[in-house]
Amino acid sequence: MLFTDTINMCAEVAGMLWQRGWAERNGGNLVVNITEDVDENIRRLPPLTTPTVLDTKLENISGMYFYCKGSGCRMRDLARKPMDNGCIIRIGADGSSYEIIACKPIQPTSELPSHLAIHNHLAANRPEMKASLHTHPTELVALSHVENLCNTEQMNKTLWAMIPETRLFCPKGVGFLPYAEPGSIELAAGTLKLIEQHDAVLWEKHGVIAVGSDMMDAFDTVDILNKAAQIRCAIPSVIA
Ligand code: 2HA
Ligand code: ZN
């Protein structure tokens, strides 16, 4: 796939997130590994910024290219103008920094630590998985307020019981991560541990992050999990 097709798919998903009500204001973010698809013209681009040092050395993705939603940008704007609301970054040769190379010096998403930690894991262990998606799906977040569901086992038991598709399409389920500050290294570290064994990670009282072969695949995972959560929320006892 051309990297431009990959970015257009991100724009399509961004529009769907906004339509679903899962991307209020600048809520949510997405990152996709475009390394295999970037052409020589992109590879030759000089950096637009000085390198930004990463908190953790990510050797598995050194030299790789990613399209990232921009920090503070809105999904509904990215849907129409992906290169005005996102950027392409290149990870440094030793995996300890990144630089923005296109098209404008737009800072990548505030959740970059979580996304890049995930991509560093995927590049070494599941290279066919190229996309990571964070969004604020209403009913999944609602269930993360219900105390007895706030652990991985109970959350999956509940979601899988709602509709058979959930277990079929999300066989590894969702990992539950207790509240951590948005954008923090703690959030990234906790997410990395859980994504190694699950299809997605639910961030308590915040949102979800999922991986996929492409952005639409990651979206489908969130959509299926949230459908189960919606059904659970429609059963009155969850409120009681
Ligand atoms: O991009 O959703 O978690 C804004 C957020 C931070
Ligand atoms: Zn968020």
Side-chain angles (χ1 to χ4, degrees), residues 26-29 69 109-111 134 136 182 203 206:
N26 63 320
N29 31 73
K69 175 180 171 278
T109 164
S110 59
E111 300 292 3
H134 163 58
H136 300 163
W203 293 344
H206 178 171

Side-chain angles (χ1 to χ4, degrees), residues 33 57-64 95 119-125:
N33 189 337
K57 204 168 180 178
L58 303 172
E59 282 162 334
N60 303 333
I61 55 170
S62 56
M64 289 192 174
H119 283 283
N120 191 55
H121 165 72
L122 295 177
N125 299 285

Side-chain angles (χ1 to χ4, degrees), residues 5 33-34 47 51-52 54 67-68 80-81 88 100 116 121 131 136 141 143 155 160 169 177 185 219:
D5 292 338
N33 189 337
I34 57 170
T52 301
L54 294 165
Y67 170 75
C68 311
R80 289 177 297 111
K81 295 182 176 173
I88 297 177
I100 303 168
L116 289 187
H121 165 72
H136 300 163
V141 176
L143 291 189
M155 186 61 74
W160 281 335
F169 293 114
L177 188 65
I185 318 290
F219 173 85

Side-chain angles (χ1 to χ4, degrees), residues 5-114:
D5 292 338
T6 305
I7 293 172
N8 285 340
M9 188 187 283
C10 291
E12 191 181 350
V13 167
M16 285 156 40
L17 297 174
W18 163 248
Q19 291 295 338
R20 286 279 204 286
W22 299 349
E24 71 290 344
R25 199 174 183 275
N26 63 320
N29 31 73
L30 47 79
V31 172
V32 60
N33 189 337
I34 57 170
T35 309
E36 282 179 4
D37 307 318
V38 293
D39 54 25
E40 268 313 301
N41 292 333
I42 293 281
R43 284 177 194 277
R44 274 200 298 265
L45 285 174
L48 298 173
T49 54
T50 53
T52 301
V53 176
L54 294 165
D55 293 299
T56 323
K57 204 168 180 178
L58 303 172
E59 282 162 334
N60 303 333
I61 55 170
S62 56
M64 289 192 174
Y65 294 77
F66 296 86
Y67 170 75
C68 311
K69 175 180 171 278
S71 176
C73 296
R74 292 172 168 83
M75 286 290 185
R76 64 179 186 266
D77 293 336
L78 193 153
R80 289 177 297 111
K81 295 182 176 173
M83 292 317 297
D84 285 342
N85 294 278
C87 61
I88 297 177
I89 63 168
R90 176 170 48 218
I91 309 296
D94 67 352
S96 67
S97 66
Y98 71 85
E99 50 196 18
I100 303 168
I101 59 156
C103 288
K104 298 177 179 172
I106 294 170
Q107 288 305 313
T109 164
S110 59
E111 300 292 3
L112 197 65
S114 286

Side-chain angles (χ1 to χ4, degrees), residues 202-235:
L202 179 55
W203 293 344
E204 182 181 2
K205 299 183 177 72
H206 178 171
V208 69
I209 190 161
V211 297
S213 54
D214 57 27
M215 205 51 75
M216 200 58 81
D217 185 39
F219 173 85
D220 280 339
T221 296
V222 181
D223 199 23
I224 284 171
L225 290 168
N226 197 63
K227 178 66 181 224
Q230 260 179 320
I231 296 169
R232 185 64 190 94
C233 287
I235 303 171

